[in-house]
Amino acid sequence: MSNEIVAQGTDGTNPLATSVGNINLKNPVMLASGTAGHGTELSPVIDLSSVGALVVKSLSAYEWEGNSAPRLHETPNGMINSIGLQGPGLPYWIEHILPKLIDAKITIILSIWGRTIEDYAVAADLCTDLPSAIEAVELNISCPNIEDRGKMFSHSPESTNEVIQATSQIKVPRWAKLSPNVTNLVEIASAAREAGADGVTLINTLMGMVIDIDKRRPLLGAGGGGLSGPAIRPVAIRSVFDVYQAMPDIPIVGVGGVASAKDVIEFLMAGASAVQIGSANFANPRISQKIITDLGKWCRDNEFESINAIKGLAHKP
Ligand SMILES: Cc1cc2nc3c(=O)[nH]c(=O)nc-3n(C[C@H](O)[C@H](O)[C@H](O)COP(=O)(O)O)c2cc1C
């Protein structure tokens, strides 16, 4: 770990050390799925062992080519994407990419996705005997269920429940990554917990679209896409706040528009145990390092000996 970004308390302890459920992290700053590659792609730019964890881009049981171009577009205070979950598939990743992450001493959160409940079950079968460097598996259930007219799994409490149950053979903690595009997110988070999820990651992208007015058609190759970046932060904060208020015992990982240490503090005060940085990595791949340094400084300046004392503060009278 590079020394410059390890915050030190007066007694030599690390004030940024935290945990999500029973997973201990050196700091609460993770890199969000899909924004930092499948492996060590960012290693030439940052020390990946210095972040709380790297959440790898979601993988399915099989190779998947994703959507047609264009796949990314800048939007006011954010971006919209329709990558379509391109990836090499879990068997290839486990054999060829995972060893490099382990060699680099990176704390890994695996992320899996599928198009059917059976897809998740097969992916979970591939994840039953994982090396200890993989601390948790994030279940990306913000993707279309082809057996339910393309409705996202996390848009229904029943499908959410089914995915969590179908992946119960995974031995490490499972976090359900939920979509904000629902009427009642607390209901979905509750379904996830009842089915056995050990935590929830809030939020995935918001459904959006950009029209190319010269071509008179949607700009992205897939038509619609997922909106992310600072523009969605208040939606993500509200999601974390509401779920924490309803279920303060389920660990929450906050994600959506984090671009500074103050944004991290906001998520922690709303009730998150840790956060993930997504779109901000595209603007500045070193942003996580600055945020970790600034977090340590913020704690010192505001006389917090441990970052954990900040969690849920916005709920206190
Ligand atoms: C280009 C891109 C690709 C993404 N791919 C994935 C993915 O594979 N799996 C996933 O769970 N979320 C994916 N996401 C969603 C992010 O992990 C995150 O939830 C979302 O972007 C909100 O965070 P942000 O505003 O910090 O970007 C992707 C986001 C972007 C911008």
Side-chain angles (χ1 to χ4, degrees):
M1 192 189 304
S2 74
N3 287 333
E4 59 178 346
I5 59 162
V6 178
Q8 292 284 307
T10 44
D11 59 353
T13 55
N14 172 9
L16 298 188
T18 190
S19 57
V20 177
N22 59 9
I23 299 172
N24 295 322
L25 301 173
K26 56 179 82 78
N27 62 63
V29 179
M30 305 181 221
L31 304 184
S33 182
T35 66
H38 286 112
T40 53
E41 290 92 326
L42 285 185
S43 281
V45 187
I46 62 168
D47 174 6
L48 282 170
S49 72
S50 68
V51 293
L54 164 67
V55 189
V56 299
K57 180 160 179 60
S58 301
L59 289 149
S60 52
Y62 38 80
E63 189 181 355
W64 190 249
E65 67 176 13
N67 290 328
S68 51
R71 294 167 155 196
L72 279 181
H73 187 70
E74 195 172 341
T75 55
N77 257 308
M79 59 194 279
I80 188 164
N81 89 83
S82 63
I83 306 291
L85 296 160
Q86 180 184 349
L90 273 166
Y92 180 93
W93 183 82
I94 290 168
E95 188 177 346
H96 299 284
I97 302 179
L98 176 59
K100 293 181 190 149
L101 287 164
I102 293 173
D103 282 351
K105 302 195 170 7
I106 298 165
T107 303
I108 308 160
I109 311 291
L110 179 54
S111 168
I112 62 171
W113 72 279
R115 297 186 302 151
T116 63
I117 300 290
E118 176 65 13
D119 278 358
Y120 283 96
V122 174
D125 285 342
L126 294 166
C127 300
T128 49
D129 196 17
L130 296 170
S132 62
I134 298 180
E135 296 278 355
V137 174
E138 204 171 71
L139 305 171
N140 176 8
I141 51 174
S142 311
C143 39
N145 177 356
I146 57 170
E147 291 169 333
D148 190 12
R149 290 163 290 136
K151 187 175 167 185
M152 282 192 200
F153 293 95
S154 61
H155 287 182
S156 132
E158 293 77 25
S159 301
T160 297
N161 181 298
E162 281 180 74
V163 175
I164 314 275
Q165 299 231 19
T167 54
S168 60
Q169 61 273 50
I170 295 175
K171 296 184 192 97
V172 294
R174 288 168 297 148
W175 303 341
K177 184 165 180 185
L178 305 183
S179 159
N181 306 293
V182 292
T183 315
N184 187 347
L185 184 59
V186 170
E187 183 189 22
I188 306 292
S190 175
R193 183 181 61 174
E194 275 163 32
D198 301 282
V200 287
T201 304
L202 309 173
I203 55 176
N204 213 311
T205 52
L206 270 87
M207 287 162 66
M209 183 178 274
V210 173
I211 303 284
D212 181 332
I213 59 169
D214 296 322
K215 293 186 179 154
R216 303 179 185 183
R217 55 196 305 269
L219 185 144
L220 294 175
L227 185 66
S228 60
I232 73 164
R233 192 166 58 241
V235 178
I237 293 287
R238 174 72 185 263
S239 303
V240 171
F241 190 95
D242 286 356
V243 171
Y244 182 84
Q245 191 163 51
M247 294 180 273
D249 53 322
I250 187 156
I252 302 172
V253 178
V255 51
V258 175
S260 73
K262 286 189 175 166
D263 300 339
V264 177
I265 300 294
E266 204 182 338
F267 272 99
L268 300 181
M269 287 187 176
S273 298
V275 304
Q276 296 173 358
I277 303 176
S279 301
N281 292 312
F282 290 88
N284 174 8
R286 295 189 176 85
I287 192 84
S288 54
Q289 316 287 275
K290 174 165 169 43
I291 289 177
I292 295 166
T293 306
D294 290 352
L295 264 184
K297 183 172 180 323
W298 193 94
C299 286
R300 279 193 302 279
D301 291 351
N302 291 275
E303 297 176 2
F304 280 98
E305 283 181 13
S306 164
I307 195 102
N308 294 315
I310 298 168
K311 182 173 147 186
L313 277 185
H315 295 264
K316 304 252 155 73

